[in-house]
Amino acid sequence: MKYLFSTFLLFALFILPASAETGYELWLRYHKIQNTELLNGYLGQIKSFSVVGSSATHDVIRNELSAGLSGLLGQPFEPSTSSKASLLAGLSDEPTIAQYLSESELTQLGKEGYLVKAISQKESSRFLITAKDPVGLLYGTFHFLKLLQTNQNLASINILENPKVDIRILNHWDNLDRTSERGYAGFSIWDWHKLPDFLDQRYIDYARANASIGLNATVLTNVNANALVLTPAYLEKVKALADLFRPYGIKVYLTARFSAPIEIGGLDTADPLNSDVTNWWEEKVKEIYEHIPDFGGFLVKANSEGQPGPQNYGRSHAEGANMMADALKPFGGVVMWRAFVYSSEEPDDRAKQAYSEFNPLDGSFRPNVLVQVKNGAIDFQPREPFHPLFGAMPKTPVMMEFQITQEYLGQATQLVYLAPMWKECLDADTYVNGQGSTVSKVVDGSLHDYSITGIAGVANTGTDINWTGHPFAQANWYAFGRLAWNPDQTAQQIAEDWIRMTFNNHPKTIAALSDMMMNSWEASVNYMTPLGLHHLMGTGHHYGPAPWVSNLSRADWTPVYYHKADAFGIGFDRSENGSNAVSQYAPEVAKIFNSKDEIPEKFLLWFHHVGWDFEMNSGRTLWNELAFRYQDGVNTVRKMQEQWQSVQPKIDDERFKSVQMLLTIQEKEAVWWKDASLSYFQTFSKRPIPDKVEPPKRSLEYYQSLKFPFAPGIRPSW
């Protein structure tokens, strides 16, 4: 009872901020259903609930149902012990539950899967939530509550779901000093100073939010790793978080700095083939598992952007990863080895480097190694074609890495719903095993029969009261979880569910907000990097446009390296006549990307250097089309402002005013991107700004003079 009571208090605390509507509740907003007829119908169907079984996760489920049903239905609900309760939750092998299950249902249920269904009986209807594992039962509980939140008809529900991906994980780029690299919602939520003795309520709320969308893992620390997190003092703190997360089905992972044997182990080398180094990692892994018996494993960034790695010792990525994997194998741990690499020498085309380094290593990694690949070949740009490594490593599990935090997409001042971007990548056809070989089939393992699968998202959480800075950035956290569970879900349905759970079920709200969200990504691409342009952002802070930057220590860090604007035209030639990056794709894809006439215009300047007067599908010249795309982006943001204004009566004042102010900022930033970019590119095109495109408000020199020492996500630079 002690655990149950304390957890109930935590849930009570979670819903307290509701009166202020700060956004702290995220999508777990258990406010009373406003539709009286629907509410009365639910009250007639759900009179009591019972959770059969005993574990820490069962206690969490009881408390969740109590809080959810009490809030949504407007009257107290406490757990019952009666097997006749109208809502019955329990594991499938419980006799009370098993009587309602068919052999087919039991066969279909996976370890983390769940079944939610209505049971018709003579006297009344009842509802069943079941699973083979307590965590699956928790997922089913959240799904049942979502049905109420989204005002669904319960009469004939029959929902059986299993996750399509094994490891569904958030990557926190959080540092031990509580700064968060590329974090735009305040400081890191991990208070290392107070841990392990002070367990912040926010940790429980974080775990609960993740479990509600099916996420089952978290990497606590930055990929630019600090070896200190592997020391005993920090492992005690990590253990406290792992213990707290365990009832929610969330495993803890850590980033491992490759040079840790030197920095905290006293060795003079980190060579992965050195026996002292191997022994050091084996002992360190044993120590971690003594603290955290279900520790997930390591995420490693090696030989990239100055991080140490096996190549420092003339070893391959596979040799480095395998050394760590061997240490983890006896405990069931895995290594997630990032494919985002920079060589010490500048390549002819940065977009080719990861494929060139990792494709030849296919089949040489241990079975408990996953190669973690960003969605595109450069670096989380507003739009990129899918990474050529997807489909190119059939013998090695390749997992997806998406960025939830909006490093290149407006950070925390812009409303950009990312699910359409992620879906464009997941739905892309690699053709490696013929038509239908989509990226999602690579990620879920079905294309190559991977033994383990994963999908990672760079987290956007912070200490801001609403977790994510921009209220609508919550939707990206939510959408990532939904797509990690099932990459085949639609961005539209996910958006509508989030709106219903986060704001309300009014048709006008759903229509206006879903339209805003579904158009927001394309708008941002248009006013930032239309037609396949990329890497045009400001240096260091990555805030705002700076396509003119050319004076950094490496050419492939500069925007001019990527857009290559000149008197003839603009774009990076990756065709067979250029860097030949197209050759890294399957022939069917390469043929399309290689042709200026066949390639989708959204990728034109990614793969081709195109003349300013090249005729586009619209009949306009490239220069005019580029200008119109920038203007279209601005116009869409202005429409979003109107749409938001139209739902004011349906939205609480605090969140309405917050989004209203942020949309004002977004409109200014969209205009800034348009004006600065066109002013600069016009110095090469020598062509006038076309009619119906607003001319730049300031001179190019003005835009080039802007400085941003206060930009978030990095340490200030003056």
Side-chain angles (χ1 to χ4, degrees):
M1 287 300 293
K2 180 179 178 182
Y3 178 86
L4 181 63
F5 179 70
S6 62
T7 308
F8 180 78
L9 286 180
L10 292 176
F11 284 122
L13 285 169
F14 187 89
I15 62 174
L16 277 178
S19 59
E21 288 286 8
T22 61
Y24 183 82
E25 296 170 291
L26 300 166
W27 48 88
L28 296 175
R29 204 171 151 272
Y30 295 148
H31 292 202
K32 185 176 179 180
I33 293 166
Q34 296 302 300
N35 184 318
T36 303
E37 182 179 353
L38 189 65
L39 175 61
N40 289 336
Y42 286 156
L43 287 169
Q45 293 172 304
I46 307 169
K47 295 179 168 49
S48 60
F49 78 91
S50 177
V51 180
V52 182
S54 177
S55 73
T57 302
H58 282 80
D59 289 339
V60 167
I61 293 167
R62 290 185 181 94
N63 293 324
E64 193 67 39
L65 285 171
S66 182
L69 295 175
S70 298
L72 290 165
L73 302 183
Q75 63 184 43
F77 274 82
E78 295 295 334
S80 165
T81 57
S82 171
S83 62
K84 301 296 185 181
S86 51
L87 172 60
L88 195 59
L91 298 184
S92 58
D93 60 359
E94 293 279 359
T96 309
I97 305 295
Q99 61 181 314
Y100 299 113
L101 302 177
S102 68
E103 191 64 36
S104 173
E105 289 169 334
L106 287 170
T107 301
Q108 291 179 64
L109 271 178
K111 181 182 177 183
E112 293 183 285
Y114 59 83
L115 172 66
V116 179
K117 71 173 184 177
I119 306 168
S120 296
Q121 294 184 321
K122 291 181 180 179
E123 65 274 15
S124 63
S125 291
R126 302 176 69 196
F127 303 101
L128 180 73
I129 307 171
T130 191
K132 291 184 176 179
D133 183 88
V135 173
L137 194 63
L138 178 61
Y139 296 152
T141 296
F142 280 116
H143 194 131
F144 182 82
L145 291 171
K146 183 181 78 171
L147 296 174
L148 301 181
Q149 287 179 280
T150 56
N151 292 185
Q152 303 303 304
N153 185 342
L154 303 181
S156 57
I157 57 168
N158 193 331
I159 301 162
L160 194 156
E161 288 205 10
N162 294 300
K164 289 195 170 186
V165 179
D166 298 324
I167 301 172
R168 308 177 298 279
I169 190 166
L170 288 183
N171 289 182
H172 288 269
W173 285 1
D174 292 12
N175 300 311
L176 299 183
D177 63 1
R178 295 200 75 183
T179 58
S180 181
E181 185 177 342
R182 310 305 178 189
Y184 307 108
F187 288 96
S188 167
I189 62 176
W190 318 126
D191 191 338
W192 297 106
H193 175 64
K194 293 179 182 177
L195 283 165
D197 299 313
F198 185 86
L199 300 177
D200 196 309
Q201 169 63 28
R202 205 171 182 92
Y203 305 152
I204 287 286
D205 299 341
Y206 165 86
R208 188 167 157 256
N210 282 335
S212 76
I213 50 177
L215 295 177
N216 64 359
T218 183
V219 183
L220 301 177
T221 44
N222 194 349
V223 290
N224 293 321
N226 188 325
L228 289 176
V229 79
L230 301 179
T231 60
Y234 275 97
L235 291 179
E236 287 289 342
K237 300 171 186 290
V238 174
K239 168 182 164 52
L241 291 174
D243 290 345
L244 209 60
F245 296 162
R246 192 168 292 112
Y248 297 88
I250 297 171
K251 284 188 177 182
V252 165
Y253 293 67
L254 292 173
T255 48
R257 185 165 170 84
F258 201 81
S259 54
I262 299 172
E263 294 168 13
I264 63 173
L267 301 184
D268 58 6
T269 181
D271 184 344
L273 301 189
N274 179 284
S275 59
D276 290 337
V277 172
T278 301
N279 290 337
W280 186 89
W281 280 107
E282 288 175 351
E283 291 303 313
K284 179 54 65 177
V285 166
K286 288 178 185 176
E287 180 187 1
I288 294 172
Y289 277 95
E290 286 171 1
H291 286 84
I292 309 161
D294 59 349
F295 177 66
F298 294 135
L299 171 64
V300 185
K301 176 180 179 179
N303 292 119
S304 178
E305 298 182 316
Q307 293 297 301
Q311 292 176 343
N312 294 35
Y313 306 94
R315 314 302 186 188
S316 71
H317 286 288
E319 288 171 316
N322 291 343
M323 178 269 295
M324 290 184 172
D326 288 343
L328 289 161
K329 182 181 177 181
F331 305 94
V334 304
V335 173
M336 296 173 289
W337 193 271
R338 294 180 89 232
F340 180 66
V341 292
Y342 278 112
S343 63
S344 57
E345 298 179 2
E346 292 180 35
D348 66 324
D349 182 356
R350 253 282 309 284
K352 295 168 59 178
Q353 189 171 335
Y355 182 99
S356 298
E357 288 200 28
F358 281 87
N359 173 256
L361 298 174
D362 186 32
S364 59
F365 290 92
R366 297 286 192 267
N368 58 328
V369 174
L370 299 96
V371 174
Q372 184 166 308
V373 179
K374 293 186 178 184
N375 58 284
I378 297 297
D379 185 16
F380 297 135
Q381 294 302 292
R383 169 175 268 139
E384 299 190 40
F386 72 88
H387 202 298
L389 273 175
F390 290 109
M393 300 186 72
K395 300 175 183 177
T396 306
V398 173
M399 64 182 290
M400 175 67 75
E401 180 180 337
F402 286 133
Q403 189 179 55
I404 309 171
T405 190
Q406 295 168 228
E407 180 179 355
Y408 302 104
L409 281 157
Q411 302 182 4
T413 55
Q414 297 188 22
L415 190 169
V416 183
Y417 176 50
L418 301 180
M421 177 176 74
W422 299 334
K423 283 293 293 178
E424 181 175 279
C425 175
L426 291 166
D427 292 346
D429 199 337
T430 70
Y431 278 88
V432 294
N433 283 355
Q435 188 173 7
S437 303
T438 60
V439 171
S440 67
K441 290 180 180 177
V442 177
V443 173
D444 70 21
S446 61
L447 191 65
H448 301 307
D449 196 26
Y450 290 154
S451 60
I452 186 170
T453 58
I455 182 168
V458 181
N460 65 344
T461 55
T463 52
D464 283 4
I465 188 63
N466 71 357
W467 297 87
T468 59
H470 198 301
F472 275 79
Q474 296 177 358
N476 294 329
W477 180 7
Y478 177 81
F480 171 76
R482 290 281 298 271
L483 289 173
W485 179 276
N486 179 2
D488 297 329
Q489 294 183 84
T490 69
Q492 178 77 40
Q493 185 58 59
I494 293 169
E496 291 184 7
D497 285 346
W498 179 81
I499 293 164
R500 289 173 179 272
M501 299 166 75
T502 305
F503 290 105
N504 59 66
N505 284 274
H506 195 282
K508 185 174 181 180
T509 304
I510 297 165
L513 270 55
S514 62
D515 192 65
M516 289 170 61
M517 293 169 68
M518 291 300 293
N519 290 321
S520 61
W521 170 55
E522 197 68 48
S524 68
V525 170
N526 281 338
Y527 63 69
M528 290 182 181
T529 54
L531 300 175
L533 288 173
H534 50 288
H535 210 280
L536 304 183
M537 67 288 171
T539 300
H541 49 72
H542 296 169
Y543 174 71
W548 45 79
V549 172
S550 61
N551 59 350
L552 302 182
S553 58
R554 284 179 60 137
D556 59 343
W557 290 349
T558 66
V560 297
Y561 169 91
Y562 294 96
H563 65 68
K564 300 192 183 302
D566 56 24
F568 169 78
I570 188 172
F572 197 119
D573 187 357
R574 295 188 170 99
S575 73
E576 60 187 11
N577 297 318
S579 75
N580 201 26
V582 295
S583 66
Q584 295 184 335
Y585 293 91
E588 297 90 338
V589 178
K591 178 178 179 292
I592 294 170
F593 286 165
N594 194 58
S595 169
K596 291 180 186 178
D597 297 321
E598 293 186 51
I599 190 170
E601 287 186 343
K602 61 188 177 183
F603 297 135
L604 177 64
L605 303 183
W606 185 283
F607 287 103
H608 297 278
H609 191 71
V610 182
W612 296 113
D613 294 322
F614 179 82
E615 185 175 343
M616 304 292 286
N617 292 338
S618 63
R620 303 182 185 114
T621 64
L622 171 64
W623 168 249
N624 284 351
E625 183 68 24
L626 193 67
F628 274 103
R629 293 293 181 101
Y630 275 108
Q631 187 64 55
D632 283 347
V634 172
N635 293 345
T636 303
V637 176
R638 289 170 178 162
K639 181 182 177 183
M640 288 161 60
Q641 289 178 300
E642 295 172 0
Q643 290 172 309
W644 183 248
Q645 196 67 37
S646 73
V647 298
Q648 181 175 11
K650 307 296 181 186
I651 307 294
D652 57 279
D653 287 344
E654 185 165 355
R655 289 187 295 174
F656 178 82
K657 290 175 182 176
S658 173
V659 174
Q660 185 182 48
M661 289 186 286
L662 288 166
L663 284 171
T664 298
I665 294 173
Q666 185 169 355
E667 192 265 346
K668 290 179 179 178
E669 291 179 344
V671 171
W672 168 35
W673 267 95
K674 173 184 73 70
D675 290 357
S677 301
L678 288 178
S679 294
Y680 173 71
F681 292 137
Q682 192 178 30
T683 65
F684 298 97
S685 76
K686 308 297 184 183
R687 286 152 177 80
I689 302 293
D691 293 340
K692 297 184 180 179
V693 174
E694 300 165 7
K697 294 181 170 64
R698 305 280 193 125
S699 68
L700 176 59
E701 291 71 26
Y702 167 79
Y703 297 119
Q704 291 174 322
S705 72
L706 296 175
K707 306 292 182 185
F708 302 97
F710 300 107
I714 57 169
R715 289 168 179 154
S717 176
W718 298 87

